[in-house]
Amino acid sequence: MYFNKKIETMNREDMKKLQAERLKKTVERVYNNVPLYRERFDEYGIKPEHIKTVDDLKNLPFTYKTDLRDTYPFGLFAAPMEEVVRIHASSGTTGKQTVVGYTKNDLDIWSECVARSFASVGATNKDIVHDSYGYGLFTGGLGIHDGATKLGAAVIPVSSGNTTRQVNIFKDFGSTILCCTPSYAMYLIEAIKENNISADDLKLRIGIFGAEPWTDEMRTEIEKGLGIKAYDIYGLSEICGPGVSCNCYMQNGLHVQEDHFIPEIIDPDTGEVLPDGESGELVFTCITKEALPLIRYRTRDISSLNRETCECGRTTVRMSKPCGRTDDMLIVRGVNVFPSQVESVLLNIDGVSPHYHITVDRVNNLDTMDVEVEMSPSLFSDSVKQIQEKEKMIKQALLSTLNIAVGVKLVGPKTISRSEGKAKRVTDNRKK
């Protein structure tokens, strides 16, 4: 099912022509309206008239998250405030929050991107969408809400929290699509079991999850626990929010809405553009946004691109599921470690739950890494010797995957705090 078949199945040459036309207008817009871009373009000796095709994109400078913080709050806006109709912002947990704005046209485009995402996984106007993303300055709740409305589906704006009430709504309202972070989906699975409800008692059939990295192993756990098909949706507030890309029902990469956002993959160290199929840092350029059209924004997410036509019939470029972030990568004793690698190992081991926490520290000038993992109730009731043997097995499995020795401690069920938003998986005490 398509929401906008003309765009979603457009041939590559026509797409490049459309992108070039929109890119030229956007470059002119930011040059004339955003002082930072004008200064940076001038430093590179670039004028808007130099940009003629998509291939010229590589000549433009990058934009960084620090640029939004340095021009806080509205310094990168390319539209006057009287045209801005909504403002969102990040949590600001690692510094000044990043502020993003939208014109009415921006909101219309965003809602269509999300509606396309819903349609690509088989959602229709007959569905009841249970929206458990947070509402407010976070883009998740309202972004999903407006896209589902654009599709014509009924939306339940539950937001996050009050998990028991959410489970009751599943039953009473007949929710068919769940939208939330994958970690919160795991929390909901626990709550359903505690209320002695079977997934067969619910009408859920589709889950659309995003806002944090998650592995294919967690996808399998969620699909089993809720009796659904689980799909990735990708976005970031700086580009628009959820809906920049999404799985289709084939679950083979995420289709980018590339008539609005041009993706590139670069070497994170050199900035060199990498060929399709190679992994590197994902970069986006907004080519239709009015309020905040970012040029070559470095997402820090690690992905790759595939331009082959998908089995679903869509011709839009697909990005691989992000396997981590360059700023989430831990360097422990000279080895690159991603939390997703730890998660993949744990979810393939019987007797442990998908709830874990990683602590990295430095003791006597040597990096240490310890992983706390929750036991299942059945393992928790085993003998101390059996638990110790399980810890040794997990240590060996992590050593084989990570190539470094890590400490493992099995803890009791419900010991590790649950998240109703983005899960906090890592504490790095070396940064304190």
Side-chain angles (χ1 to χ4, degrees):
M1 177 180 171
Y2 305 103
F3 185 82
N4 186 335
K5 186 174 182 180
K6 179 181 176 182
I7 292 294
E8 295 174 71
T9 60
M10 182 176 283
N11 69 59
R12 180 56 44 195
E13 284 307 307
D14 286 345
M15 178 62 75
K16 287 187 74 171
K17 288 176 184 175
L18 178 62
Q19 289 175 326
E21 177 186 324
R22 292 176 170 181
L23 175 62
K24 287 186 281 187
K25 290 179 180 177
T26 298
V27 168
E28 186 174 350
R29 181 182 187 86
V30 299
Y31 187 85
N32 292 331
N33 294 289
V34 183
L36 180 142
Y37 277 124
R38 185 163 54 253
E39 292 168 11
R40 200 163 282 176
F41 284 17
D42 286 346
E43 286 175 13
Y44 277 64
I46 294 172
K47 299 294 182 184
E49 55 268 26
H50 294 155
I51 305 303
K52 294 180 170 56
T53 71
V54 174
D55 294 333
D56 294 325
L57 190 61
K58 64 181 182 295
N59 300 320
L60 295 173
F62 294 114
T63 308
Y64 303 84
K65 181 168 280 193
T66 51
D67 292 328
L68 284 103
R69 290 177 176 150
D70 291 344
T71 57
Y72 175 90
F74 308 136
L76 287 186
F77 282 17
M81 286 305 296
E82 56 265 29
E83 294 179 14
V84 175
V85 298
R86 190 189 295 174
I87 294 172
H88 283 284
S90 69
S91 60
T93 53
T94 58
K96 272 187 179 177
Q97 57 189 347
T98 55
V99 180
V100 296
Y102 304 79
T103 64
K104 185 179 183 303
N105 189 53
D106 291 338
L107 292 181
D108 289 342
I109 287 171
W110 184 14
S111 62
E112 170 159 336
C113 289
V114 178
R116 291 183 198 175
S117 301
F118 272 103
S120 69
V121 299
T124 73
N125 59 3
K126 296 179 181 179
D127 279 298
I128 299 175
V129 176
H130 188 105
D131 187 355
S132 291
Y133 284 108
Y135 280 66
L137 288 177
F138 174 58
T139 56
L142 284 169
I144 291 293
H145 186 125
D146 288 350
T149 300
K150 184 100 170 176
L151 183 71
V155 188
I156 310 172
V158 192
S159 194
S160 57
N162 203 338
T163 304
T164 300
R165 183 185 181 210
Q166 303 235 12
V167 173
N168 289 332
I169 289 173
F170 285 152
K171 290 192 306 177
D172 299 342
F173 292 17
S175 311
T176 58
I177 298 178
L178 170 63
C179 301
C180 63
T181 61
S183 56
Y184 191 53
M186 295 301 301
Y187 191 10
L188 287 167
I189 290 170
E190 280 189 343
I192 288 168
K193 290 178 180 176
E194 288 171 1
N195 283 273
N196 296 315
I197 298 170
S198 165
D200 294 337
D201 298 328
L202 305 177
K203 294 184 178 179
L204 288 174
R205 65 187 191 92
I206 289 172
I208 299 177
F209 306 112
E212 64 187 18
W214 56 305
T215 60
D216 287 332
E217 288 80 5
M218 183 174 280
R219 183 204 300 273
T220 301
E221 290 291 314
I222 291 172
E223 289 185 336
K224 286 193 302 184
L226 292 173
I228 61 173
K229 291 291 285 183
Y231 300 98
D232 279 278
I233 191 167
Y234 174 87
L236 56 167
S237 59
E238 297 91 339
I239 301 304
C240 81
V244 173
S245 68
C246 188
N247 279 146
C248 65
Y249 60 86
M250 298 303 302
Q251 293 179 309
N252 186 19
L254 288 78
H255 290 273
V256 178
Q257 312 302 341
E258 60 174 323
D259 54 321
H260 300 296
F261 317 106
I262 301 177
E264 301 172 274
I265 297 293
I266 65 165
D267 182 311
D269 296 322
T270 66
E272 177 190 358
V273 178
L274 299 176
D276 289 350
E278 288 197 22
S279 291
E281 183 180 344
L282 183 61
V283 172
F284 276 110
T285 296
C286 306
I287 54 174
T288 54
K289 283 184 70 178
E290 295 174 341
L292 188 68
L294 297 183
I295 304 294
R296 303 195 82 197
Y297 182 74
R298 296 186 62 158
T299 69
R300 300 299 182 187
D301 288 318
I302 298 169
S303 184
S304 61
L305 298 178
N306 178 356
R307 296 182 204 275
E308 295 177 3
T309 299
C310 181
E311 291 179 67
C312 74
R314 287 173 177 80
T315 55
T316 47
V317 63
R318 282 171 286 159
M319 54 178 272
S320 64
K321 181 185 182 69
C323 61
R325 292 174 56 84
T326 58
D327 49 4
D328 279 349
M329 184 179 74
L330 300 165
I331 302 177
V332 183
R333 300 197 290 278
V335 176
N336 296 343
V337 176
F338 291 98
S340 58
Q341 293 174 292
V342 175
E343 183 177 292
S344 292
V345 170
L346 297 178
L347 287 172
N348 280 306
I349 294 176
D350 292 333
V352 299
S353 83
H355 302 290
Y356 65 94
H357 188 80
I358 300 167
T359 302
V360 183
D361 212 330
R362 183 165 287 133
V363 179
N364 297 326
N365 295 317
L366 180 68
D367 290 341
T368 63
M369 178 172 161
D370 295 283
V371 182
E372 284 188 320
V373 192
E374 278 190 16
M375 292 179 272
S376 66
S378 59
L379 179 59
F380 187 58
S381 62
D382 285 347
S383 68
V384 172
K385 184 178 179 182
Q386 288 172 309
I387 292 172
Q388 289 174 339
E389 288 174 352
K390 182 68 73 170
E391 285 178 338
K392 287 180 182 177
M393 188 185 84
I394 296 171
K395 284 181 184 179
Q396 186 57 47
L398 288 171
L399 176 61
S400 297
T401 297
L402 305 178
N403 294 316
I404 59 167
V406 302
V408 173
K409 182 180 180 182
L410 289 170
V411 298
K414 299 265 181 102
T415 304
I416 294 172
S417 62
R418 303 298 191 259
S419 171
E420 294 174 349
K422 294 186 180 183
K424 188 178 187 312
R425 303 288 197 193
V426 180
T427 299
D428 191 343
N429 292 323
R430 298 173 301 178
K431 298 178 180 180
K432 295 181 180 178

